[in-house]
Amino acid sequence: MGEHNEFGKQGEALAVAFLLNSGYEICAQNYRYQKAEIDIIARQGNVLAIVEVKSRKMGFLEDISTTINSKKKKLLVMAADHYVQEMDLDVEVRFDVITVVQKGASFEIDHLEDAFYFF
């Protein structure tokens, strides 16, 4: 596996730990439906958070929370809808982005709730 893939997996693991420490229950990781993949599906009360994790090393100039294009958003919405129906859930669905930025030996984690709307 490439170094960037390993770094991405590390970022997802840090995001899971962050969510758990914030009181979320992790429902699924790397949930796939057709061509879509959801990094993390987490629940807190009646809110189901569909979480896209973006991991980068310090010095990346682009705001990584804005790197989710319209095609990716449509795929996330489709997969989230399928998950909710498959699990027969009655929840509020929210789309979040967690950014994990490596700064030397440490990591900065930001959780952007309601990163985008699907309607």
Side-chain angles (χ1 to χ4, degrees), residues 3-19 29-30 39-40 51-56 98-102 107-110:
E3 182 182 336
H4 69 284
N5 289 336
E6 289 294 332
F7 183 67
K9 292 293 179 194
Q10 182 182 18
E12 286 185 21
L14 290 168
V16 165
F18 176 86
L19 289 167
Q29 286 183 254
N30 304 114
D39 293 333
I40 302 169
V51 182
E52 179 71 9
V53 180
K54 294 294 185 183
S55 304
R56 297 288 189 270
I98 292 183
T99 59
V100 179
V101 178
Q102 184 176 15
F107 293 88
E108 183 178 291
I109 300 172
D110 287 315

Side-chain angles (χ1 to χ4, degrees), residues 17-82:
F18 176 86
L19 289 167
L20 289 170
N21 287 337
S22 300
Y24 287 83
E25 169 194 350
I26 304 303
C27 302
Q29 286 183 254
N30 304 114
Y31 177 81
R32 292 182 180 273
Y33 175 68
Q34 295 182 1
K35 294 180 180 181
E37 180 182 359
I38 299 172
D39 293 333
I40 302 169
I41 300 175
R43 186 170 179 168
Q44 187 176 51
N46 196 41
V47 174
L48 191 70
I50 306 302
V51 182
E52 179 71 9
V53 180
K54 294 294 185 183
S55 304
R56 297 288 189 270
K57 297 192 180 210
M58 184 67 178
F60 192 79
L61 298 177
E62 185 177 7
D63 179 1
I64 60 179
S65 66
T66 62
T67 60
I68 302 171
N69 62 30
S70 61
K71 180 180 178 182
K72 177 68 174 179
K73 289 176 185 177
K74 287 177 185 175
L75 289 170
L76 287 170
V77 169
M78 178 185 68
D81 184 57
H82 183 265

